[in-house]
C-alpha cells in the first residue's frame, strides 16, 4: 500500500438470532463488544430481545495495512447488567483478517456463537457485514484519524450508567477478551496492551491485587458498613441463643462462610518439548494474575492450589494458560510462547462442602495451540469452597498476599517451662593460694550459677587461707527458668570477691538433672570437681543438689490475667472440663497506621489470640480497613477462672524492605471464661483502644464470637473448690520478689523462642499479649487502682447513709420495719443467722433477672485514660531506667518507681478482694453465685436446726485448733473466694 493512503475497517452489526436467555426471566438484553488491533467499540443495548436488530456501523483504524491479514477481529456478546439481573456471557466470534473484503463486495454473513469455556451454555448466531476502505492523503492526517478513532463517543446506554458501574462494565469484558487475544497464535506476547482507557490485565509475574479505584473503594466500604449493621442487629438474637442441645454444629459455626474459588493445577502433558525449556501455568481472573512454579521437566508435577476471594473478583472468567520459556543463545535472553488456554466460567464451577471428598482433577485440552502442533493437555480441578476447605491453609490466598509466610495463619505453642532448683551446699579442698600473689589471710567467697543469660549468686562467706578453714557452707537455693529443649550446660563457679578472681568452675549437663513432681521426693546431692585455669586442673570440689521442678506452674503472664494454671508435669493435670471456641469474624473502621506508595494510608491487620500454651495468628488481610478473617479456633479448658487474650496488630514485616519495622498494635481485649454462661454464643463488635504517648486512641472495632462449652459439670463445680495454683506453690512458696524475676525471665524466654519460629511471632507482639510491663510504675494505673478501692469503700458509705436515713425517719415505713426487726432480734436471737442467710438468698435470686451482660472489652473509664495528663503519659512511656534526668536524679526516680509499682500492685489486690465480694452478689460469675445461693439456702436450714451458741462454740474451737490438725493447703471457702472474678482483666 502506498504511504499516502490510510485504511479503515468497517464492521456493521446487523442482528442476532436465537440467543440464550440469561436474565432469569426467559430473555436477555444483549450488547456487542468488538475488538480489533488494540481498539474497542461497543454497540447499543437491546432491551429484552433474544433476536435483536442493531444495524450499527463501527469503524476501526488499520495501523499497518500489510499486517491486516494476520490480525483477528473479536466479537463478544454480553447481557447488560444495567437492565438484566446480572452481566453474563452470550457468546463470541473470532474472524481472521484474511477474510476481509473491500467496500462494495461485502455481504451479510451469519456466524455461529462460540463458547468461552467448557461449562458455558451458548446458542444462536450473529449477522455481520465486514469490509475495509482505503482513503487518500487528502483526508485528515493519520495521527489525527487515529486519535479520533481511538477515542470513540460513548454510547447512550453507557452515559446512563453510574461511574462505578461503567468502570466494572467496561473492565470486565475487555480484560477477559484481551487475554484471549493475547493467547491467540497471532498475538503470542502477553505484554501487549490496549490503547483504550481501560488498563490491561497484570503481567504473569504479578501476584498482588490491583488496588481498586477510589470511588469504588468508598462504595465497597459503604456496603461493608451496611452489612456490619445487619450483623449487629442479629447479635442480640445470637447472644441469647442457647446451644446446650445442639450437637450438629460445624467447625466453622461461629463465623461467616467465605466463598473462595479454588484452582488446583496438577501437571501438564506437553508434546514435542525441546531441550532447555521450562514450562509454567498462568492463572488470570479479572485483575488477579498468578503463575505456578517453573518446571524444567514435563514429568514433574506442579500440584499447587490457588484460592481467590470470590467477593473480591471482578470477573467471572478464569483462564489457565500453559507457557514455555526457552533460553536463547544471544545475551541469555528467554523467549516465551503460549501453548494454549483453557477457560472456566465461574457461574458453572461446581461447589464443594466438606466433609465431601476433594474434587478429582481432570485433563483439559488447551485451546489455541500453535499451528502444526499436536494437542496439549493440562490437569486441573476447579471448585468453589469456603475457608473450611482443607486446601485453604496451604493454598495461595489472594486476600493475604499469596504465599508470603509472614501473612499466613499459623498456630504456635509456647515452650514447656520448668523451674530448675540448684541448692549450693558447700565446697571442699579449695585451692585459694597463688605463687604470684602475696599471702592473704582471709577470702570472701561466693558461688554463682549461670544458665544461658540467667545468672544468680549466693551470699558471700568469709574463710581463712589455710586449707582447714577454706570450706564455706551456704545451703542456699538458686532457681532458674529452663525451657525445653534445654540449654546444654549449667555452669557453676566459685569466685573470690577479695581479688575478683575465679577459684574454679564446673559444667553440668542440664538433660542429666533429675525431675521431681512432689515435695516428698528429695533430690540427690552430687559432688563436682572444680576446674581452674591451665595451671590448676583441680581447684577443689563443690557439693550441690539439683532438680527440675515439675510440681510448679511456671508463670509467664500477669497473675490477674493468667490463662493457664496447670503444673509443668503432665501427670499432675486433670482432664479438660470444657472447650473454648473463638470465632474471629472481622474488624471495622480500622485507622491507617502507615503509608503505601507515599500517597495514602493503609493497614495490613491480623489478630493474635492466646490461651494456655497455644497461640493462634490469623492471616494478614492486606490493605483493608474492614478486613474479614472468619477464622475459628478451639482450646481445651482445664480451669474456668482463666482469661483469653486477643490482640490486633498491623503487619509491618511481610516485605524485605520492612524487615526492621515493628508490628503496630491496634488494640487488645480479654475474655474471662468464668463470666460466660456455658453453651451460649457471645457475638458482637468491641472497641479497640490503644494507649499512646499522646493519649488513648480508638483504632476501630473487632467482631468476635465466643462460646464456652462444658463437658463435665461435676468437674466444673469441683474446680471452684480447688486451689488456683498447684500444690507446690503453697507447700514451698516462692517470694514475691523472686516470682517477679522468674516471671520476667519466663516472658523473655517465651518471646525469644516464638521469635525463632518460622514465620516468627515477634517479640513485641508476645510482650504486649503477656502484659510484661504490668508491674512497671504508672501514675495512671495507680489512680485507676485507687479509685477501684474507693469504689468498693463507697458501698460502706452508702450503707452508712442508708442507716442515717432510717434514724432520721426519711422513709417512715422502712424505719418502722427496722424497729420490728430489732425487736425480733432481741426476742429471738436464734433467728438472726437463718434470717440473714434467707435474706441473702432471696435478694441474690431476685437480682438474677437484672443481671448485666459482661462486656467483652477493655474499659477506658476504668483504666483512667480519660483524665490522664501528657506529663503522666510521658512518665508512663519513659524507658526504664529513665532518660529524663541527670544521673543522681534518675537513680532516685527509678527507686521510687519500683516502690510505687509494689504499692500499685497492693492497691490492685485490695481492690480485687472487694470486687470479688461484689461479684458474688451481682451474678458476674453465674456458677459461683449459683453455688453460693445454694449454700445460703442450706445454711439457713442448718442454722435453724443448730443452736446459735453451739455454732459459735464450734467455730471458735475449729479456729483455735492445734497446728498438727491443720493443713498447709488453703481451705475451700478461701479457694472459692479467690476464684471469684475481679475487674482486673478489664484494666487497660
Amino acid at each position: 500500500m502506498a504511504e499516502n493512503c490510510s485504511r479503515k475497517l468497517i464492521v456493521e452489526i446487523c442482528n442476532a438470532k436465537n440467543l440464550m436467555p440469561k436474565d432469569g426471566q426467559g430473555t436477555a438484553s444483549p450488547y456487542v463488544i468488538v475488538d480489533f488491533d488494540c481498539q474497542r467499540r461497543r454497540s447499543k443495548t437491546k432491551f429484552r430481545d433474544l433476536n435483536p436488530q442493531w444495524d450499527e456501523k463501527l469503524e476501526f483504524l488499520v495501523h499497518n495495512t500489510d499486517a491486516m491479514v494476520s490480525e483477528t477481529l473479536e466479537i463478544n456478546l454480553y447481557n447488560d447488567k444495567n437492565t438484566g439481573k446480572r452481566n453474563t456471557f452470550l457468546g463470541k466470534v473470532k474472524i481472521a483478517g484474511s477474510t476481509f473484503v473491500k467496500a462494495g463486495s461485502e455481504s451479510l454473513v451469519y456466524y455461529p456463537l462460540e463458547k468461552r469455556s467448557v461449562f458455558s451454555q451458548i446458542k444462536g448466531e450473529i449477522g455481520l457485514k465486514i469490509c475495509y476502505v482505503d482513503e487518500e492523503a487528502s483526508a485528515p492526517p493519520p495521527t489525527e484519524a487515529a486519535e479520533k478513532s481511538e477515542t470513540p463517543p460513548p454510547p447512550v446506554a453507557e452515559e446512563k450508567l453510574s461511574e462505578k458501574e461503567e468502570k466494572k462494565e467496561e473492565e470486565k469484558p475487555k480484560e477477559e477478551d484481551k487475554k484471549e487475544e493475547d493467547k491467540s497464535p497471532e498475538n503470542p506476547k502477553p505484554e501487549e496492551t490496549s490503547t483504550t482507557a481501560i488498563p490491561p490485565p497484570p503481567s504473569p509475574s504479578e501476584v498482588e491485587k490491583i488496588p481498586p479505584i477510589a470511588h469504588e473503594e468508598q462504595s465497597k466500604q459503604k456496603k461493608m458498613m451496611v452489612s456490619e449493621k445487619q450483623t449487629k442487629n442479629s447479635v442480640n438474637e445470637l447472644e441469647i441463643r442457647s446451644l446446650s442441645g445442639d450437637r450438629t454444629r460445624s467447625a466453622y459455626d461461629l463465623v461467616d462462610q467465605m466463598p473462595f474459588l479454588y484452582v488446583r493445577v496438577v501437571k501438564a502433558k506437553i508434546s514435542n518439548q525441546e531441550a532447555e525449556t521450562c514450562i509454567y501455568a498462568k492463572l488470570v481472573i479479572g485483575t488477579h494474575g498468578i503463575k505456578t512454579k517453573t518446571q524444567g521437566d514435563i514429568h514433574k508435577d506442579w500440584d499447587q492450589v490457588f484460592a481467590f476471594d470470590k467477593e473480591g473478583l471482578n470477573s467471572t472468567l478464569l483462564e489457565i494458560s500453559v507457557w514455555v520459556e526457552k533460553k536463547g543463545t544471544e545475551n541469555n535472553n528467554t523467549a516465551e510462547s503460549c501453548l494454549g488456554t483453557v477457560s472456566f466460567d465461574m457461574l458453572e464451577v461446581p461447589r464443594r462442602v466438606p466433609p465431601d471428598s476433594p474434587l478429582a482433577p481432570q485433563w483439559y485440552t488447551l485451546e489455541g495451540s500453535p499451528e502444526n502442533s499436536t494437542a496439549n493437555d493440562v490437569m486441573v480441578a476447579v471448585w468453589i469452597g469456603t475457608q473450611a476447605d482443607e486446601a485453604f491453609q496451604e493454598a495461595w490466598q489472594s486476600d493475604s498476599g499469596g504465599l508470603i509466610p509472614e501473612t499466613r495463619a499459623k498456630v504456635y505453642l509456647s515452650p514447656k517451662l520448668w523451674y530448675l532448683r540448684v541448692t549450693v551446699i558447700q565446697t571442699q579442698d579449695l585451692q585459694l593460694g597463688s605463687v604470684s600473689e602475696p599471702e592473704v589471710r582471709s577470702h570472701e567467697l561466693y558461688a554463682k550459677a549461670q544458665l544461658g543469660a540467667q545468672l544468680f549468686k549466693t551470699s558471700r562467706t568469709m574463710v581463712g587461707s589455710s586449707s582447714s578453714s577454706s570450706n564455706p557452707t551456704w545451703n542456699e537455693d538458686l532457681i532458674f527458668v529452663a525451657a525445653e529443649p534445654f540449654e546444654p550446660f549449667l555452669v557453676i563457679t566459685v569466685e573470690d570477691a577479695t581479688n575478683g578472681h575465679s577459684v574454679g568452675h564446673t559444667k553440668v549437663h542440664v538433660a542429666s538433672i533429675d525431675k521431681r513432681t512432689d515435695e516428698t521426693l528429695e533430690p540427690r546431692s552430687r559432688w563436682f570437681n572444680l576446674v581452674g585455669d591451665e595451671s590448676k586442673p583441680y581447684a577443689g570440689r563443690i557439693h550441690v543438689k539439683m532438680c527440675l521442678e515439675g510440681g510448679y506452674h511456671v508463670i509467664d503472664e500477669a497473675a490477674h490475667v493468667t490463662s493457664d494454671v496447670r503444673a509443668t508435669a503432665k501427670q499432675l493435670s486433670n482432664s479438660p472440663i470444657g472447650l473454648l471456641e473463638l470465632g474471629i469474624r472481622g474488624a471495622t473502621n480500622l485507622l491507617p497506621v502507615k503509608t503505601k506508595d507515599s500517597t495514602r494510608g493503609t493497614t495490613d491487620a491480623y489478630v493474635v489470640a492466646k490461651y494456655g500454651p497455644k497461640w493462634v495468628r490469623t492471616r494478614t488481610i492486606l490493605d483493608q480497613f474492614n478486613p474479614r478473617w472468619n477464622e475459628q479456633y478451639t482450646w481445651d479448658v482445664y480451669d474456668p477462672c482463666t482469661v483469653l487474650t486477643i490482640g490486633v496488630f498491623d503487619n509491618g514485616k511481610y516485605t524485605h524492605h520492612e524487615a526492621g519495622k515493628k508490628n503496630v498494635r491496634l488494640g487488645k481485649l480479654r475474655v474471662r471464661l468464668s463470666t460466660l454462661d456455658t453453651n451460649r454464643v457471645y457475638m458482637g463488635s468491641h472497641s479497640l483502644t490503644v494507649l499512646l504517648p499522646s493519649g488513648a486512641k480508638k483504632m476501630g472495632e473487632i467482631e468476635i464470637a465466643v462460646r464456652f462449652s462444658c463437658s463435665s459439670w461435676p468437674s466444673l463445680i469441683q474446680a471452684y473448690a480447688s486451689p488456683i495454683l498447684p500444690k507446690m506453690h503453697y507447700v514451698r512458696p516462692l517470694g514475691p520478689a523472686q516470682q517477679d524475676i522468674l516471671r520476667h525471665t519466663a516472658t523473655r524466654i517465651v518471646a525469644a523462642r516464638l521469635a525463632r519460629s518460622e514465620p516468627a511471632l515477634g517479640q513485641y507482639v508476645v510482650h504486649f499479649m503477656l502484659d510484661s510491663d504490668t508491674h512497671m510504675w504508672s501514675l495512671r494505673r495507680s489512680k485507676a487502682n485507687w479509685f477501684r478501692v474507693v469504689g468498693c469503700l463507697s458501698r460502706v458509705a452508702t450503707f452508712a447513709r442508708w442507716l442515717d436515713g432510717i434514724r432520721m425517719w426519711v422513709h417512715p415505713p422502712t424505719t418502722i420495719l427496722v424497729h420490728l426487726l430489732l425487736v425480733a432480734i432481741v426476742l429471738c436471737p436464734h433467728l438472726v443467722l437463718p434470717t440473714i442467710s434467707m435474706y441473702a438468698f432471696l435478694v441474690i435470686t431476685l437480682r438474677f433477672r437484672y443481671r448485666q451482660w459482661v462486656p467483652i472489652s477493655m474499659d477506658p473509664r476504668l483504666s483512667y485514660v480519660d483524665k490522664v495528663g501528657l506529663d503522666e503519659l510521658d512518665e508512663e512511656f519513659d524507658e526504664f531506667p529513665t532518660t529524663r534526668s541527670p544521673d543522681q536524679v534518675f537513680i532516685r526516680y527509678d527507686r521510687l518507681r519500683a516502690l510505687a509499682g509494689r504499692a500499685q500492685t497492693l492497691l490492685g489486690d485490695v481492690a480485687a478482694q472487694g470486687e470479688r465480694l461484689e461479684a458474688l452478689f451481682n451474678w458476674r460469675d453465674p456458677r459461683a453465685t449459683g453455688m453460693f445461693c445454694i449454700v445460703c439456702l442450706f445454711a439457713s436450714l442448718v442454722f435453724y436446726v443448730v443452736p446459735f451458741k453451739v455454732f459459735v462454740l464450734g467455730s471458735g474451737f475449729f479456729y483455735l485448733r492445734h497446728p498438727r490438725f491443720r493443713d498447709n493447703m488453703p481451705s475451700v471457702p478461701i479457694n472459692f473466694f479467690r476464684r471469684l472474678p475481679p475487674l482486673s482483666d478489664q484494666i487497660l
Side-chain angles (χ1 to χ4, degrees):
M1 183 65 62
E3 295 181 359
N4 59 349
C5 293
S6 62
R7 176 172 293 180
K8 287 185 179 180
L9 178 68
I10 300 175
V11 179
E12 183 178 357
I13 305 174
C14 299
N15 58 0
K17 298 179 181 180
N18 301 323
L19 298 180
M20 177 70 70
K22 290 288 187 178
D23 63 351
Q25 299 180 5
T27 183
S29 301
Y31 68 92
V32 181
I33 295 289
V34 184
D35 291 89
F36 177 78
D37 196 12
C38 299
Q39 303 167 61
R40 168 165 292 188
R41 305 290 182 268
R42 173 181 168 174
S43 71
K44 297 180 180 179
T45 301
K46 295 300 180 180
F47 179 72
R48 294 182 178 274
D49 192 355
L50 295 179
N51 298 280
Q53 188 78 24
W54 285 284
D55 294 327
E56 291 185 39
K57 289 186 178 181
L58 306 177
E59 295 184 359
F60 299 85
L61 180 67
V62 180
H63 297 96
N64 189 349
T65 57
D66 296 331
M68 186 185 71
V69 294
S70 61
E71 296 289 346
T72 302
L73 177 69
E74 292 189 21
I75 296 96
N76 290 269
L77 273 73
Y78 293 92
N79 176 44
D80 196 338
K81 71 174 183 179
N82 192 40
T83 54
K85 285 193 173 181
R86 52 183 181 177
N87 185 13
T88 51
F89 180 74
L90 296 177
K92 68 177 181 179
V93 173
K94 288 187 177 181
I95 304 173
S98 58
T99 63
F100 299 162
V101 296
K102 198 170 183 178
S105 303
E106 71 274 13
S107 61
L108 177 61
V109 180
Y110 285 93
Y111 297 90
L113 297 176
E114 301 174 359
K115 294 183 178 181
R116 187 174 57 183
S117 67
V118 294
F119 298 114
S120 299
Q121 296 181 1
I122 300 301
K123 72 174 183 178
E125 53 187 10
I126 184 171
L128 304 172
K129 290 183 180 181
I130 306 173
C131 64
Y132 63 89
V133 178
D134 291 329
E135 298 179 351
E136 299 297 331
S138 58
T143 54
E144 298 179 4
E147 292 176 359
K148 293 180 180 179
S149 62
E150 290 175 8
T151 313
V156 178
E158 287 186 315
E159 295 178 354
K160 296 181 180 180
L161 295 175
S162 65
E163 185 180 3
K164 174 183 174 181
E165 292 175 343
E166 180 182 354
K167 282 286 184 181
K168 296 179 68 177
E169 182 74 22
E170 290 292 327
E171 277 185 14
K172 180 175 178 180
K174 178 170 182 182
E175 290 169 353
E176 295 170 351
D177 299 319
K178 179 61 183 170
K179 283 180 261 183
E180 291 192 11
E181 176 184 331
D182 292 338
K183 293 177 295 185
S184 64
E186 295 80 9
N187 299 278
K189 296 182 180 180
E191 296 83 35
E192 293 181 0
T193 58
S194 175
T195 59
T196 56
I198 303 175
S203 62
S205 60
E206 292 178 351
V207 291
E208 292 188 358
K209 181 180 178 181
I210 298 177
I213 55 179
H215 67 273
E216 186 174 353
E217 182 177 359
Q218 294 176 359
S219 178
K220 288 184 177 179
Q221 291 181 357
K222 291 180 180 179
K223 289 185 177 180
M224 182 69 70
M225 294 174 64
V226 172
S227 62
E228 287 294 329
K229 292 180 180 179
Q230 295 175 353
T231 304
K232 291 181 180 179
N233 292 336
S234 62
V235 165
N236 296 332
E237 298 179 0
L238 290 174
E239 284 183 344
I240 61 175
R241 180 167 58 94
S242 177
L243 298 177
S244 58
D246 185 8
R247 299 303 178 195
T248 62
R249 57 177 183 258
S250 63
Y252 281 79
D253 62 330
L254 298 182
V255 297
D256 296 333
Q257 299 294 324
M258 296 183 64
F260 282 87
L261 174 64
Y262 287 92
V263 182
R264 181 185 178 190
V265 185
V266 183
K267 55 185 176 181
K269 186 189 300 180
I270 308 301
S271 61
N272 303 325
Q273 184 185 11
E274 301 178 3
E276 298 184 359
T277 59
C278 300
I279 64 172
Y280 64 89
K282 180 171 62 174
L283 289 75
V284 177
I285 177 170
T287 55
H288 292 77
I290 183 63
K291 72 175 185 178
T292 64
K293 55 189 177 182
T294 304
Q295 293 287 5
D297 186 357
I298 61 174
H299 299 292
K300 292 182 179 179
D301 299 344
W302 292 304
D303 200 12
Q304 290 182 261
V305 182
F306 302 88
F308 297 91
D309 184 10
K310 190 171 180 292
E311 295 182 356
L313 300 178
N314 53 7
S315 175
T316 61
L317 178 66
L318 167 67
E319 295 182 344
I320 304 175
S321 55
V322 178
W323 293 75
V324 172
E325 261 186 13
K326 184 178 180 181
K327 188 174 182 181
T329 57
E330 298 180 0
N331 300 326
N332 292 328
N333 293 329
T334 59
E336 296 181 348
S337 61
C338 180
L339 298 180
T341 304
V342 59
S343 302
F344 298 89
D345 191 345
M346 198 163 57
L347 301 176
E348 308 294 339
V349 172
R351 291 182 176 270
R352 185 212 167 204
V353 179
D356 291 350
S357 299
L359 190 67
Q362 302 180 30
W363 287 105
Y364 294 91
T365 301
L366 297 175
E367 299 179 358
S369 301
E371 297 181 1
N372 301 324
S373 65
T374 57
N376 300 317
D377 299 331
V378 62
M379 178 179 282
V380 296
V382 183
W383 72 94
I384 294 178
T386 64
Q387 73 273 28
D389 200 297
E390 61 268 14
F392 180 73
Q393 293 301 328
E394 300 302 327
W396 177 93
Q397 300 167 5
S398 62
D399 61 348
S400 60
L403 293 173
I404 302 176
E406 287 74 14
T407 62
R408 309 302 296 273
K410 292 294 179 182
V411 177
Y412 302 84
L413 288 178
S414 297
K416 190 175 183 180
L417 302 178
W418 298 74
Y419 282 145
L420 172 60
R421 187 186 297 271
V422 180
T423 304
V424 183
I425 302 175
Q426 63 177 354
T427 58
Q428 289 183 358
D429 303 332
L430 295 182
Q431 307 297 320
L432 301 178
S434 176
V435 178
S436 60
E437 295 179 356
E439 185 69 19
V440 180
R441 293 185 177 182
S442 61
H443 298 267
E444 190 176 10
L445 302 179
Y446 67 91
K448 69 176 183 180
Q450 184 172 1
L451 180 65
Q454 304 175 64
L455 178 64
F456 294 102
K457 302 177 182 179
T458 64
S459 60
R460 298 182 178 183
T461 302
M462 299 296 297
V463 297
S465 60
S466 60
S467 59
S468 60
S469 59
S470 60
N471 298 323
T473 301
W474 288 284
N475 283 321
E476 296 183 17
D477 288 344
L478 305 177
I479 300 180
F480 301 83
V481 177
E484 294 183 357
F486 298 117
E487 297 284 345
F489 294 103
L490 170 69
V491 181
I492 303 176
T493 308
V494 178
E495 292 197 356
D496 188 355
T498 305
N499 52 23
H501 292 170
S502 173
V503 178
H505 71 277
T506 183
K507 292 184 177 181
V508 183
H509 201 267
V510 178
S512 64
I513 298 176
D514 298 335
K515 300 177 181 178
R516 73 169 184 175
T517 59
D518 197 344
E519 75 283 355
T520 59
L521 301 176
E522 188 68 21
R524 58 174 176 166
S525 60
R526 302 165 65 182
W527 288 91
F528 296 93
N529 292 334
L530 298 175
V531 180
D533 52 16
E534 297 179 356
S535 61
K536 290 182 180 181
Y538 176 76
R541 59 178 187 164
I542 186 170
H543 189 200
V544 296
K545 290 192 298 184
M546 295 175 293
C547 68
L548 290 166
E549 300 279 9
Y552 288 94
H553 168 69
V554 181
I555 302 174
D556 58 350
E557 302 170 285
H560 61 280
V561 291
T562 183
S563 62
D564 189 14
V565 293
R566 291 177 295 164
T568 301
K570 289 186 177 180
Q571 56 267 34
L572 298 180
S573 299
N574 297 324
S575 301
I577 63 173
L579 187 69
L580 173 63
E581 298 170 271
L582 171 65
I584 304 174
R585 299 173 60 86
T588 56
N589 303 323
L590 296 181
L591 297 183
V593 296
K594 58 186 178 184
T595 58
K596 185 176 182 180
D597 302 328
S598 301
T599 56
R600 62 183 181 88
T602 183
T603 298
D604 306 320
Y606 68 95
V607 180
V608 176
K610 196 264 181 186
Y611 182 78
K614 180 180 176 181
W615 301 66
V616 299
R617 188 188 72 178
T618 66
R619 68 188 189 279
T620 301
I621 305 297
L622 301 181
D623 197 14
Q624 289 288 336
F625 297 132
N626 298 283
R628 305 301 298 175
W629 294 285
N630 283 309
E631 299 180 19
Q632 187 167 335
Y633 300 94
T634 60
W635 289 266
D636 287 330
V637 177
Y638 295 86
D639 193 301
C641 303
T642 46
V643 177
L644 167 69
T645 303
I646 304 169
V648 185
F649 302 88
D650 170 76
N651 196 334
K653 296 187 176 182
Y654 64 91
T655 56
H656 295 291
H657 66 277
E658 295 178 339
K661 294 185 179 180
K662 287 184 178 180
N663 292 329
V664 180
R665 58 189 183 184
L666 302 180
K668 178 172 58 179
L669 66 149
R670 305 185 185 97
V671 181
R672 186 174 290 273
L673 270 62
S674 61
T675 62
L676 305 178
D677 290 339
T678 56
N679 302 319
R680 175 172 290 177
V681 177
Y682 290 83
M683 184 185 301
S685 297
H686 310 282
S687 177
L688 294 172
T689 304
V690 65
L691 191 64
L692 301 174
S694 58
K697 186 176 183 180
K698 184 178 178 180
M699 305 299 293
E701 294 182 349
I702 182 173
E703 183 184 351
I704 63 171
V706 183
R707 176 171 54 213
F708 171 41
S709 305
C710 176
S711 58
S712 175
W713 273 94
S715 300
L716 181 64
I717 296 174
Q718 183 184 1
Y720 280 89
S722 303
I724 297 179
L725 294 173
K727 184 178 180 180
M728 285 291 290
H729 286 272
Y730 304 100
V731 177
R732 297 193 66 176
L734 304 174
Q738 191 177 34
Q739 284 184 355
D740 289 343
I741 295 175
L742 293 176
R743 186 181 73 87
H744 287 293
T745 302
T747 301
R748 289 194 299 268
I749 291 176
V750 172
R753 292 292 179 90
L754 293 180
R756 291 164 52 187
S757 304
E758 184 60 36
L761 189 63
Q763 297 192 31
Y764 181 75
V765 174
V766 176
H767 284 290
F768 180 65
M769 295 289 291
L770 294 180
D771 293 304
S772 59
D773 60 346
T774 300
H775 297 282
M776 297 290 291
W777 163 253
S778 168
L779 185 60
R780 176 188 60 82
R781 288 198 190 101
S782 298
K783 288 182 178 179
N785 290 335
W786 170 255
F787 284 105
R788 288 167 61 198
V789 174
V790 171
C792 295
L793 295 179
S794 63
R795 306 293 190 275
V796 179
T798 301
F799 177 77
R801 288 194 297 269
W802 176 79
L803 192 62
D804 184 70
I806 292 176
R807 187 174 64 89
M808 298 301 295
W809 289 78
V810 175
H811 190 248
T814 304
T815 305
I816 295 174
L817 289 176
V818 171
H819 279 79
L820 296 177
L821 181 61
L822 179 62
V823 172
I825 291 175
V826 172
L827 296 180
C828 305
H830 61 282
L831 296 179
V832 174
L833 293 180
T835 303
I836 294 176
S837 301
M838 181 59 69
Y839 178 78
F841 169 75
L842 294 176
V843 170
I844 296 175
T845 304
L846 292 176
R847 283 191 177 186
F848 178 78
R849 62 189 303 177
Y850 304 107
R851 175 195 174 195
Q852 296 181 356
W853 298 104
V854 180
I856 307 175
S857 61
M858 315 299 284
D859 192 345
R861 296 179 58 188
L862 189 62
S863 304
Y864 209 73
V865 297
D866 53 345
K867 298 181 180 180
V868 62
L870 294 178
D871 184 65
E872 297 172 358
L873 285 173
D874 180 73
E875 182 181 10
E876 181 172 350
F877 281 90
D878 187 14
E879 298 178 355
F880 193 85
T882 180
T883 57
R884 302 293 192 272
S885 323
D887 294 344
Q888 186 65 27
V889 177
F890 76 67
I891 290 176
R892 298 175 181 176
Y893 181 53
D894 291 342
R895 182 169 63 246
L896 176 62
R897 295 174 73 186
L899 295 175
R902 295 289 182 86
Q904 157 188 313
T905 304
L906 179 61
L907 284 175
D909 293 339
V910 173
Q913 309 310 317
E915 290 166 352
R916 286 189 176 99
L917 184 61
E918 186 177 1
L920 188 62
F921 292 89
N922 289 339
W923 290 93
R924 179 169 167 79
D925 184 346
R927 288 170 291 277
T929 307
M931 288 185 285
F932 182 70
C933 280
I934 296 175
V935 170
C936 291
L937 178 61
F938 281 98
S940 64
L941 300 177
V942 171
F943 291 143
Y944 180 81
V945 176
V946 179
F948 179 74
K949 296 179 181 180
V950 175
F951 173 78
V952 174
L953 186 62
S955 300
F957 281 148
F958 179 80
Y959 180 78
L960 299 174
R961 67 190 185 279
H962 195 272
R964 71 173 57 183
F965 299 110
R966 298 179 182 176
D967 189 10
N968 293 327
M969 304 299 292
S971 62
V972 171
I974 293 178
N975 294 331
F976 181 85
F977 182 77
R978 288 178 178 175
R979 287 181 170 275
L980 295 174
L983 297 178
S984 305
D985 53 328
Q986 298 185 25
I987 293 294
L988 190 65

